[in-house]
Amino acid sequence: MEKADDGTLSRPEVLRGDLRRILIESLPGDTIRWGKKLVGVAALGAGRHELSFADGTSVVSDLLVGADGAWSKVRPLLSDAKPAYVGTAFIETYLHDADVRHPAAADVVGSGGMFALSPGKGIVAHREAGGVLHAYIQMNRSPEWIAGIDFSDAAAAKARIAAEFEGWAPALTALITESDTPLAPRLIHALPDAIRWPRVPGVTLIGDAAHLMAPSGEGANLAMFDGAELATAIAAQPDTIEAALAAYEEPMFARSATEAEGARFILDLCVGDRAPYGLVDFLTGKLGQG
């Protein structure tokens, strides 16, 4: 859909699950082959590649587009770069039917998003459809520190994470202690900001496979834009696929490098030494004005 802005709209969002369903339903039923976990890719020459799957089957591609995320099995064909931990973990929580069952947390989050930040840690939450509060507990901690928590013991994990926010308002810590789902640790990884690769015949990447970065609200947008730009390039030069891939990759490299730098900047504003004041200055347009 497209909705014109008459000056009264804010920034609309769509749940990824809903967006995924809409996109999948737009395709012919046999387009997606489910249950095919990619385990390996081998170059055959002349731009062709053999893909091996966990079920023992394989296929040969004339054009291979790696859209397989952070730990892409396709990326090694193009680059030796690997995702590295950025030093920050997000602990993910969900509160359901929040206005009725979690009124204090629902009130503090409000109708949109909420940031409660300090150097090295913070609680970030937003409201989703159906009365759901979705929170990320952001913490600058080592992988070993996170691994020392038994997240299979929901009560113990909640108590351990909540202890890091002792003295914070109960309405904020409720986003930890009242989670209706087990706490889920997400160690944030990123590829080098300016990742690029030489043109390799028959293969390219889109989305996190191409340019994994810290969360900044743009990851899904970039992935969809990559796909649209790649499709446009191929449609414009269907008989010269290598030229089409080069036409797609060069602006993608520049675009993703800029966004990756911005993502690191935003993460530092949230949990860096100046939190929360850096983010306040950024949102109010005062950043850099002293």
Side-chain angles (χ1 to χ4, degrees):
M1 64 169 289
E2 180 175 350
K3 185 174 179 63
D5 185 2
D6 60 3
T8 63
L9 296 179
S10 57
R11 296 182 61 181
E13 294 191 8
V14 59
L15 291 176
R16 291 190 186 189
D18 291 341
L19 179 59
R20 179 176 179 269
R21 175 182 52 77
I22 291 169
L23 293 173
I24 288 174
E25 289 178 352
S26 73
L27 299 172
D30 60 351
T31 301
I32 299 176
R33 307 296 176 86
W34 299 105
K36 291 290 185 180
K37 181 179 181 180
L38 184 65
V39 295
V41 184
L44 301 178
R48 303 172 78 237
H49 295 85
E50 183 177 27
L51 286 70
S52 301
F53 300 97
D55 63 4
T57 62
S58 63
V59 297
V60 174
S61 69
D62 294 313
L63 171 59
L64 173 59
V65 179
D68 50 340
W71 307 104
S72 172
K73 296 292 193 301
V74 178
R75 187 191 303 121
L77 295 171
L78 301 170
S79 171
D80 293 332
K82 296 180 180 179
Y85 181 52
V86 303
T88 303
F90 286 15
I91 313 298
E92 191 173 17
T93 75
Y94 284 91
L95 279 63
H96 298 148
D97 195 15
D99 294 302
V100 175
R101 300 180 58 244
H102 310 285
D107 183 61
V108 76
V109 172
S111 60
M114 181 279 301
F115 296 80
L117 308 171
S118 68
K121 61 186 178 184
I123 299 174
V124 176
H126 64 273
R127 184 178 288 267
E128 295 182 351
V132 173
L133 302 181
H134 185 185
Y136 291 105
I137 316 306
Q138 303 179 350
M139 308 177 71
N140 290 347
R141 295 290 187 274
S142 69
E144 294 76 19
W145 191 92
I146 298 296
I149 300 173
D150 182 4
F151 285 94
S152 68
D153 185 336
K158 289 178 183 180
R160 183 66 186 87
I161 298 300
E164 298 297 304
F165 295 86
E166 183 178 358
W168 287 46
L172 292 171
T173 57
L175 290 162
I176 305 169
T177 59
E178 297 181 14
S179 178
D180 291 311
T181 60
L183 274 58
R186 314 291 187 195
L187 274 67
I188 305 304
H189 288 70
L191 288 165
D193 287 358
I195 182 174
R196 61 168 47 236
W197 49 83
R199 176 87 295 280
V200 174
V203 60
T204 192
L205 304 172
I206 67 173
D208 283 352
H211 43 67
L212 179 70
M213 61 190 71
S216 63
E218 296 296 344
N221 296 336
L222 285 173
M224 290 189 292
F225 192 70
D226 285 350
E229 290 293 279
L230 175 58
T232 299
I234 293 172
Q237 304 183 70
D239 299 322
T240 52
I241 292 297
E242 287 306 305
L245 297 183
Y248 154 72
E249 286 182 346
E250 283 305 313
M252 182 273 289
F253 290 145
R255 178 172 65 247
S256 61
T258 298
E259 292 292 346
E261 183 179 358
R264 284 194 300 104
F265 176 68
I266 293 295
L267 185 62
D268 183 66
L269 291 181
C270 289
V271 290
D273 292 341
R274 290 200 63 231
Y277 304 106
L279 183 64
V280 172
D281 288 346
F282 175 74
L283 294 175
T284 57
K286 298 177 181 178
L287 193 67
Q289 298 179 10

